[in-house]
Amino acid sequence: MNVTVVSGDLAGMETPLLVVPVFEGDAVDPAAAALDQALGGAIASVRARGDLRGKEGDALVLYPPADAVKAERVLLVGVGKADAVTAEKLRRAGGTAAKQASKLRASSATFALPDTSVSIGDAARAVAEGAVLGAYTFGELKSTPADQPTPVALADLRIVAGDGDRAAAEEGARVGDIVGRAANFARNLGNQPGNVATPSYLASTAEEIGERFGMTVTILGPAEMEAEGMGALLAVARGSDEEPRFIVIEHRGGAEGEKPLVLVGKGLTFDAGGISIKPAAGMEEMKFDMCGGAAVLGAMQAVGELGVKANVVAIVPSSENLLGGRAMKPGDIFRAASGKTIEVVNTDAEGRLILADALHYAKRFDPAAVVDAATLTGACVVALGHQASAVMGNDDALVEELRRAGDRTGERCWPLPMYDEYREQIRSDYADIKNSGGRPAGAIAAGWFLREFVDFPWAHLDVAGTAYGDGKLAYLTKGSTGTPTRLFVEWVLSRAG
Ligand code: BES
Ligand code: MN
Ligand code: ZN
């Protein structure tokens, strides 16, 4: 999307679609009030009738009489009470604008930033991000019938800001566009079916990113994994004909010798559960089991485009988890790269196995901090639903950083406790640990398993309930959400200063 910042009075905006945020209650934005004068009080009148209350999610299109204003259409978008407007509400308004634009077949729109307590930079970023996210569709594998018009997506967004605010608005719009596209990039990977987005496909995607931004990419295949002693990752890959890949991208934007931030993402391209097979109903959703890895790749695209001045390393262990004559079996014991032995009591707890070898690999970078993201447990979905990812780790300050970054991006995460006693659940009678602690506190037991493989500041995001969904949010569509791409970028930016 081409995002630019313009200045001027709203009545004079020449555009197919002028988007005007409307507050709930009596407050009226001064710029919107001036526009309403030119419209002969049309906005005040739809509000007086109660046709538009300004509640979040409300949207109404007005067709101004010729010559009243320069815009062809005016889209009123509710953003809730004037004193309660947040970046997230503006992000959603941006999403609503993009979706309405597509419905109206308008490829260009002009968005009037309201005057609120959200800074101009943050507001422009949120609107741009929301519009880029809201304009996303995944139709590439559908044929368009000849008698159907080709869909139109918003391609050109103009954000209206005051003259004095232009620099801040432009910077915000630039970042919002980059971050939104990074999340869409991750959504695209997530939405691809398992027969397309294979481990090798993720690896070549990583290579493309590396080439575009001058990052070093290292791809390990089975032989190299063997040499690294990655018995846990290799155990998961045993049941599949599709070869596993271990993907590493290094962005060196910081000083030489500066400890890197490391992002790790589960890249399980299809999870059938293995011999501990999953039920058939809904199993197709397990193509989304690589969304943590996709978010890491999306975040690296943003890191490259933003030219982040920090060292950032991405690690994506990638495999399928299928069934076969050579597949790992319940009771099997494997040695992970760290040297620890793992009893596999449930082959469906495979994500933690591939992450174990990835987290151990991170140690060689002497990381400042490591954050992993994984669609790791159904238990996390039970605990938090689809409204927040779970966050846990060995460093309370890092967990709090992520929680705050989550609040700022709308990709929220909420801490789960890591009391020592939970560790008991993964004690094994036959090996150093076992890969499942049963049903109680399933998300935390998984976190404790990962913790066995780290000795650096680390946090884990369980995104099982947030990485994909029904697309009810204004800036989302059904399928992959891109979560936690934006949270990753926000956290990296907060660290990069
Ligand atoms: N990929 C699944 C977790 C998952 C479940 C993600 C639902 C998204 C939605 C993971 O590999 C898994 O199967 N976890 C098991 C662990 C159990 C066997 C200890 C689970 O949650 O049931
Ligand atoms: Mn599984
Ligand atoms: Zn899985």
Side-chain angles (χ1 to χ4, degrees):
M1 187 175 302
N2 179 34
V3 188
T4 49
V5 175
V6 297
S7 304
D9 67 312
L10 299 183
M13 292 292 159
E14 220 166 297
T15 174
L17 187 65
L18 179 60
V19 186
V20 181
V22 172
F23 303 128
E24 183 182 353
D26 296 330
V28 180
D29 185 72
L35 174 75
D36 199 24
Q37 271 210 330
L39 288 169
I43 300 178
S45 124
V46 296
R47 279 161 65 82
R49 285 183 203 191
D51 291 9
L52 181 92
R53 294 182 49 208
K55 281 173 107 65
E56 221 196 300
D58 284 357
L60 187 74
V61 187
L62 301 180
Y63 290 85
D67 303 332
V69 298
K70 290 263 171 66
E72 289 170 33
R73 313 173 185 86
V74 174
L75 171 66
L76 305 177
V77 177
V79 289
K81 297 222 168 69
D83 55 5
V85 174
T86 58
E88 174 63 9
K89 289 184 186 175
L90 294 173
R91 197 176 287 118
R92 293 178 189 182
T96 301
K99 285 188 184 172
Q100 291 285 335
S102 156
K103 254 193 200 161
L104 298 164
R105 305 186 61 73
S107 63
S108 171
T110 302
F111 194 109
L113 281 190
D115 189 10
T116 69
S117 64
V118 181
S119 76
I120 290 293
D122 287 351
R125 175 175 165 182
V127 167
E129 202 174 289
V132 171
L133 291 166
Y136 174 82
T137 52
F138 183 71
E140 64 185 62
L141 299 176
K142 280 191 176 206
S143 340
T144 333
D147 59 345
Q148 292 272 313
T150 43
V152 173
L154 182 62
D156 173 45
L157 175 69
R158 293 169 202 187
I159 294 176
V160 187
D163 258 331
D165 294 330
R166 281 191 70 141
E170 270 162 12
E171 177 58 13
R174 184 181 78 89
V175 175
D177 174 49
I178 289 174
V179 173
R181 280 188 294 100
N184 286 349
F185 179 84
R187 288 163 84 180
N188 239 4
L189 288 173
N191 286 331
Q192 294 292 354
N195 62 324
V196 173
T198 59
S200 326
Y201 182 94
L202 294 187
S204 43
T205 304
E207 272 167 342
E208 279 166 29
I209 293 174
E211 219 147 277
R212 264 174 74 196
F213 302 110
M215 300 172 183
T216 310
V217 178
T218 309
I219 308 288
L220 310 189
E224 291 89 356
M225 291 173 201
E226 202 77 62
E228 291 283 343
M230 295 179 166
L233 170 56
L234 284 165
V236 174
R238 288 178 67 89
S240 176
D241 288 344
E242 198 68 59
E243 280 190 3
R245 290 289 182 266
F246 190 88
I247 302 163
V248 185
I249 312 177
E250 293 171 64
H251 167 81
R252 297 285 167 189
E256 210 179 302
E258 187 188 294
K259 292 184 173 199
L261 305 171
V262 179
L263 306 176
V264 178
K266 174 179 176 182
L268 210 294
T269 58
F270 186 76
D271 182 11
I275 300 297
S276 315
I277 192 170
K278 288 183 180 296
M283 202 202 268
E284 70 279 7
E285 290 186 355
M286 285 301 119
K287 72 171 181 176
F288 294 118
D289 214 16
M290 36 58 75
C291 283
V296 167
L297 297 179
M300 290 311 277
Q301 173 181 292
V303 162
E305 288 195 16
L306 290 165
V308 169
K309 293 201 170 27
N311 297 327
V312 185
V313 176
I315 303 178
V316 180
S318 184
S319 172
E320 295 184 327
N321 185 28
L322 300 186
L323 302 78
R326 296 190 53 76
M328 62 175 174
K329 306 174 292 298
D332 285 358
I333 295 177
F334 299 95
R335 190 180 298 278
S338 75
K340 282 194 180 161
T341 55
I342 303 167
E343 181 192 3
V344 175
V345 296
N346 189 323
T347 66
D348 199 10
E350 85 298 337
R352 62 198 76 181
L353 294 175
I354 71 172
L355 288 168
D357 284 341
L359 290 169
H360 177 75
Y361 193 91
K363 191 175 153 65
R364 72 188 60 194
F365 295 108
D366 187 20
V370 176
V371 181
D372 80 72
T375 46
L376 205 61
T377 65
C380 179
V381 190
V382 173
L384 295 170
H386 307 288
Q387 311 309 323
S389 308
V391 58
M392 58 206 100
N394 60 6
D395 183 313
D396 288 344
L398 176 58
V399 166
E400 180 59 15
E401 269 176 55
L402 288 162
R403 201 192 61 72
R404 283 170 190 267
D407 279 354
R408 292 197 297 276
T409 57
E411 290 190 327
R412 291 175 296 194
C413 54
W414 194 257
L416 294 180
M418 293 206 85
Y419 304 133
D420 290 343
E421 287 77 0
Y422 288 118
R423 162 89 184 48
E424 294 304 307
Q425 290 181 223
I426 54 167
R427 252 183 29 83
S428 164
D429 292 329
Y430 305 104
D432 294 334
I433 45 171
K434 60 182 179 184
N435 77 330
S436 168
R439 283 170 60 83
I444 299 171
W448 255 113
F449 183 95
L450 300 180
R451 192 167 174 166
E452 291 292 313
F453 299 90
V454 304
D455 63 353
F456 35 71
W458 156 82
H460 156 63
L461 296 163
D462 193 331
V463 295
T466 51
Y468 63 96
D470 54 15
K472 288 233 168 68
L473 216 51
Y475 54 73
L476 294 179
T477 44
K478 187 176 160 69
S480 175
T481 58
T483 299
T485 307
R486 296 184 297 113
L487 170 55
F488 272 149
V489 177
E490 184 71 18
W491 176 69
V492 166
L493 288 177
S494 77
R495 283 280 184 130

